[in-house]
Amino acid sequence: MTTTDPATRKVASYDIYYTQILNPDASINGELPAFARDPQQLRAMYALMVQTRLFDKKAVALQRTGQLGTFAAALGQEAIGVAIGHALKQDDVFIPAYREYGAQFARGVPMSDILLYWGGDERGMDYPQGTAAYHDFPLSVPISTHVPHAIGVAYATQMQDRKAGREARVVLASCGDGATSKGDFYEAVSSAKVWNLPIIFLVNNNQWAISMRSSRQTGAQTFAQKGLAGGINGEQVDGNDIIAMRLVLERAIQRARNGEGPSLIEAITYRLHDHTTADDARRYRPEEEVQAAWERCPIKRYKAWLEAQGHWTAADEETLISEGTASVEAAAQAFRNVTPEPPEAIFDHLYATLPKSMQWQRDEVAARGPVKGGH
Ligand SMILES: [Mg+2]
């Protein structure tokens, strides 16, 4: 609003910034950050993006052939997960939603564990000891419920790190655009700055909350500004630009590590797949919109730029696809080889001591024996 009333004056104003370095046409804005001048790192990021896409394709195929439960694909959003995976340190804590597989792979989650999880087996959340993922959280399908948990984790790590006089660990919680409409999200944002926690809220704005378009999800001009009410730095980044994505994340992580508190990053991307394999987006989403989004695909632009820089060749691509496909096939086979848990296992991880009201149900399920067909 504007006012000419001398009794009313402006007391605050804010700016929201957007960062994009690698454009969809593979041209560059501004200076490249240091990591983007290191061919080894550039190639590693590309390989992980492609690996994520190969995994995604296999997971969807397993679901379509009745071998996997519902699966949420990361198609078109690979740069976000890969940037998280490269920006976080080993001791930092990642608290994911459910499309940042690239980050999980980078932190040591085996592809077969992700398949196991979507195959309905709790053991797929038990990540291997000795990896960064071991102290991360499992992926969270319930919307935004993990975001307040992240506040608790950041509060605890901050207290422990201060007591031990060591460098602050950073907590990164990712969630979708739709998750920012939940009370859990606002409660977390509200607490984060009050306690000046070393936390990053990464909002993966893929334009759709299942069948709800972003413009119907919020009246706010950006999702980034949702941090402002909590006193948090909020900014936007092109989530399909791996270079900008990693740079903006690394800046926020460094601020958090320096004791400068939380940040909210809105990564703008597009969900090229259906919401999950249980959805058919053709029912609510125009095909032209999806086709236009393919032109902004994170892998396409990055590959074109790497090739133009002489950092990637057709032979590199061939090796990557062949090795990546083999590792995905091996993961699928490892998943198929897992002996399913007995059905009563669903009662075994929720309570330290199972309440009596559930004990008889567990007994009844156990008495029926294993379900035929396995995964
Ligand atoms: Mg969304």
Side-chain angles (χ1 to χ4, degrees), residues 128-357:
Q129 281 194 35
T131 64
Y134 186 64
H135 61 250
D136 289 346
F137 275 36
L139 53 87
S140 174
V141 170
I143 302 304
S144 206
T145 54
H146 61 300
V147 185
H149 299 166
I151 290 292
V153 174
Y155 193 91
T157 56
Q158 185 184 61
M159 194 183 276
Q160 289 168 348
D161 293 342
R162 280 179 178 169
K163 203 171 165 192
R166 64 186 171 215
E167 185 181 67
R169 287 168 289 172
V170 172
V171 175
L172 190 149
S174 62
C175 66
D177 41 282
T180 69
S181 295
K182 294 276 302 291
D184 316 55
F185 180 81
Y186 287 105
E187 288 163 31
V189 163
S190 177
S191 313
K193 185 63 183 175
V194 171
W195 293 324
N196 206 42
L197 297 176
I199 188 167
I200 318 292
F201 302 104
L202 190 280
V203 178
N204 175 332
N205 175 9
N206 65 6
Q207 316 294 325
W208 290 90
I210 311 186
S211 56
M212 178 77 77
R213 195 183 275 288
S214 290
S215 57
R216 292 186 60 211
Q217 182 70 228
T218 182
Q221 199 178 345
T222 70
F223 286 95
Q225 75 204 58
K226 293 195 176 194
L228 295 177
I232 293 181
N233 176 71
E235 62 182 305
Q236 288 185 327
V237 59
D238 181 349
N240 284 6
D241 166 5
I242 182 73
I243 299 174
M245 191 64 232
R246 178 169 162 183
L247 175 69
V248 166
L249 268 175
E250 286 187 347
R251 283 180 188 157
I253 288 169
Q254 198 51 54
R255 286 195 300 268
R257 230 184 278 290
N258 293 346
E260 294 167 49
S263 296
L264 191 158
I265 297 170
E266 175 189 354
I268 300 175
T269 182
Y270 192 87
R271 194 193 76 207
L272 289 171
H273 200 263
D274 299 325
H275 170 67
T276 65
T277 49
D279 174 43
D280 180 359
R282 290 172 303 181
R283 292 164 60 209
Y284 54 80
R285 197 168 67 169
E287 189 52 30
E288 312 84 73
E289 181 181 308
V290 183
Q291 286 311 319
W294 271 104
E295 294 304 310
R296 303 191 300 274
C297 162
I299 292 182
K300 185 182 172 184
R301 74 176 73 171
Y302 190 45
K303 184 184 177 197
W305 180 73
L306 285 179
E307 285 175 340
Q309 300 304 302
H311 297 321
W312 198 253
T313 65
D316 290 331
E317 184 75 8
E318 201 176 313
T319 308
L320 176 65
I321 299 290
S322 131
E323 291 179 0
T325 304
S327 65
V328 164
E329 290 300 331
Q333 198 50 48
F335 158 66
R336 290 190 199 98
N337 289 346
V338 172
T339 306
E341 283 195 302
E344 65 271 23
I346 61 168
F347 293 94
D348 292 345
H349 301 288
L350 199 54
Y351 297 95
T353 309
L354 199 64
K356 273 189 186 150
S357 60

Side-chain angles (χ1 to χ4, degrees), residues 113 116 121-127 338-341 349 375:
D113 271 6
L116 208 52
D121 193 320
E122 200 101 31
R123 292 170 296 179
M125 291 186 176
D126 187 11
Y127 306 139
V338 172
T339 306
E341 283 195 302
H349 301 288
H375 291 301

